[in-house]
């Protein structure tokens, strides 16, 4: 079980988590007007290393801008709020951090004007997000991925997650672990809350950022590691469901799951049905990188203590 730490941040101050409430009339509840991110922190060698917190913050900031909510905060302000909260909670273990900018306004009209954005933050303890050992069983969802010209998919907007939840629940109800979402043109977008990669003949394929997916921080990290450390070619190009079935390897990436290999898609075995060599090598690299143990990539980690 993930434990929520006792102190959170909301409306400019640290409060007990049980007091970190918003009014039921808030626009974020009714209209999904919020932007959030999820950051991992790993406890290693007496320090808590946050993985690429600046990149998360910048994506959050851009997302808020894309929605047009009037909110400003500098990275140093954000970092101070976050590190103070970690210290207040006396955290010395792996964590998952949820910063959110939400429309706190209680006005009835669904506008972003007068949305009174507020910044809130809470932290939970975190181990594995999905069981990764046996490989995932994916289902291609009947739910089409929301298009960028409906809701900006790069914004990590809370309202967008109704789309993810519909797909994920459909998959889970049908006995699968996770959903893959397609775009209107039939090309693969991503999974419900992670990016997707395929491997064919040693080349890595990733749906491009124009495919209505999130510009995942883990996606970015793995592309860099694959190119620089494994000297692999990474092709960012659209591919369809039928291509997905033919890959030698498929894997998902995200802050929560890091990298997790896929055993089947729509009950069709991917490759040998075992974790492939590319996923294995990338997992070794990213597992080290998040612990601040990968030389050349320590710039990705910021220690709290
Ligand atoms: C829809 C979606 N795609 C991809 C990702 C992976 O992004 P990241 O690696 O930044 O966690 C997430 C998780 O944040 C997500 O919600």
């Amino acid at each position: 079980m993930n434990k929520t730490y006792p102190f959170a941040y909301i409306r400019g101050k640290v409060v007990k988590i049980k007091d970190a409430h918003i009014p039921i009339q808030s626009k974020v509840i009714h209209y999904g007007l919020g932007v959030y991110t999820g950051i991992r922190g790993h406890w290693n060698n007496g320090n808590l290393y946050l993985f690429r917190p600046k990149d998360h913050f910048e994506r959050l900031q851009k997302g808020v801008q894309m929605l047009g909510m009037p909110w400003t905060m500098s990275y140093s302000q954000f970092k101070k709020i976050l590190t103070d909260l970690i210290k207040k909670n006396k955290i010395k273990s792996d964590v998952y951090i949820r910063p959110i900018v939400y429309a706190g306004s209680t006005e009835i009209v669904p506008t972003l004007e007068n949305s009174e954005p507020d910044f809130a933050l809470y932290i939970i303890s975190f181990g594995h997000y999905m069981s990764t050992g046996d490989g995932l069983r994916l289902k291609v969802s009947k739910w089409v991925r929301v298009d960028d010209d409906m809701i900006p998919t790069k914004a990590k907007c809370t309202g967008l997650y109704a789309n993810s939840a519909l797909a994920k629940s459909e998959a889970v109800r049908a006995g699968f672990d996770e959903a893959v979402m397609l775009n209107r043109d039939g090309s693969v977008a991503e999974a419900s809350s992670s990016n997707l990669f395929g491997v064919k003949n040693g080349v890595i394929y990733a749906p491009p950022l124009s495919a209505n997916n999130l510009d995942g921080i883990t996606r970015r990290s793995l592309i860099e590691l694959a190119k620089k450390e494994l000297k692999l070619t990474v092709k960012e190009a659209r591919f369809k469901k039928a291509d997905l079935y033919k890959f030698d390897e498929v894997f998902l990436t995200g802050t929560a799951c890091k990298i997790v290999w896929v055993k089947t898609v729509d009950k069709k075995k991917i490759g040998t049905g075992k974790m492939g060599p590319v996923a294995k090598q990338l997992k070794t690299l990213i597992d080290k990188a998040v612990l601040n143990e990968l030389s050349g990539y320590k710039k990705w980690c910021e220690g709290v203590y």
Side-chain angles (χ1 to χ4, degrees):
M1 269 288 281
N2 299 320
K3 162 185 113 183
T4 305
Y5 281 95
F7 294 100
Y9 183 91
I10 191 166
R11 286 182 283 275
K13 54 179 199 246
V14 173
V15 297
K16 290 200 176 128
I17 189 79
K18 66 175 180 52
D19 300 322
H21 295 313
I22 56 169
I24 56 166
Q25 311 97 302
S26 305
K27 287 190 185 192
V28 63
I29 298 178
H30 295 266
Y31 309 127
L33 303 182
V35 177
Y36 75 101
T37 192
I39 306 174
R40 274 251 200 192
H42 292 87
W43 182 254
N44 191 27
N45 279 335
N47 207 341
L48 185 67
Y49 292 105
L50 305 174
F51 189 65
R52 302 188 72 164
K54 192 158 191 277
D55 296 299
H56 277 281
F57 175 75
E58 285 170 359
R59 187 177 68 189
L60 181 74
Q61 212 173 27
K62 277 191 203 139
V64 176
Q65 265 169 21
M66 274 185 241
L67 258 63
M69 285 202 281
W71 174 76
T72 50
M73 181 180 276
S74 67
Y75 179 62
S76 58
Q77 284 171 312
F78 168 81
K79 184 78 189 294
K80 181 161 179 1
I81 293 169
L82 176 53
T83 50
D84 285 355
L85 192 65
I86 289 170
K87 288 175 188 166
K88 174 85 183 167
N89 279 300
K90 301 188 171 69
I91 297 174
K92 295 196 167 171
S93 60
D94 293 355
V95 285
Y96 184 68
I97 299 154
R98 267 286 165 92
I100 182 167
V101 178
Y102 67 94
S105 164
T106 53
E107 272 192 2
I108 197 79
V109 190
T111 54
L112 290 147
E113 281 71 42
N114 311 317
S115 54
E116 295 168 31
D118 180 43
F119 172 78
L121 187 58
Y122 75 92
I123 307 174
I124 59 174
S125 64
F126 214 48
H128 288 300
Y129 176 62
M130 300 193 248
S131 92
T132 53
D134 296 340
L136 294 180
R137 295 156 308 144
L138 301 192
K139 179 186 192 310
V140 175
S141 182
K142 291 200 178 69
W143 292 99
V144 172
R145 178 66 175 157
V146 165
D147 225 300
D148 260 337
D149 57 8
M150 298 171 182
I151 299 174
T153 58
K154 300 290 170 287
K156 209 163 166 50
C157 170
T158 56
L160 194 56
Y161 282 79
N163 187 230
S164 295
L166 284 164
K168 173 88 182 182
S169 294
E170 177 202 37
V172 170
R173 276 188 215 119
F176 294 83
D177 300 309
E178 179 55 73
V180 185
M181 302 188 75
L182 305 181
N183 295 303
R184 277 262 173 257
D185 67 357
S187 66
V188 173
E190 59 181 340
S192 70
S193 56
S194 47
N195 291 110
L196 182 145
F197 289 84
V199 182
K200 189 81 201 163
N201 300 327
V203 174
I204 299 184
Y205 293 85
L209 291 178
S210 61
N212 303 317
N213 46 19
L214 188 71
D215 181 3
I217 311 289
T218 321
R219 179 186 185 279
R220 287 185 214 167
S221 310
L222 289 175
I223 289 177
E224 193 172 332
L225 290 170
K227 287 181 179 168
K228 289 195 185 149
E229 301 305 307
L230 305 181
K231 310 282 180 236
L232 292 174
T233 303
V234 180
K235 288 194 180 164
E236 295 185 55
R238 289 194 184 223
F239 53 80
K240 302 215 167 179
K241 182 168 76 173
D243 304 310
L244 201 55
Y245 299 151
K246 287 183 279 183
F247 280 130
D248 301 329
E249 293 183 43
V250 172
F251 52 87
L252 306 183
T253 71
T255 295
C257 68
K258 286 179 233 171
I259 176 167
V260 49
W261 70 282
V262 171
K263 191 183 185 80
T264 58
V265 180
D266 291 340
K267 301 195 173 163
K268 294 170 184 51
K269 194 164 77 174
I270 300 300
T272 59
K274 303 228 159 62
M275 188 176 187
V278 175
K280 253 188 206 158
Q281 291 174 84
L282 285 173
K283 182 168 164 32
T284 305
L285 290 168
I286 195 76
D287 282 350
K288 271 191 179 172
V290 298
L291 292 175
N292 196 39
E293 285 183 355
L294 191 63
S295 76
Y297 297 89
K298 295 196 174 178
K299 59 182 189 282
W300 283 347
C301 289
E302 290 190 33
V304 169
Y305 296 106

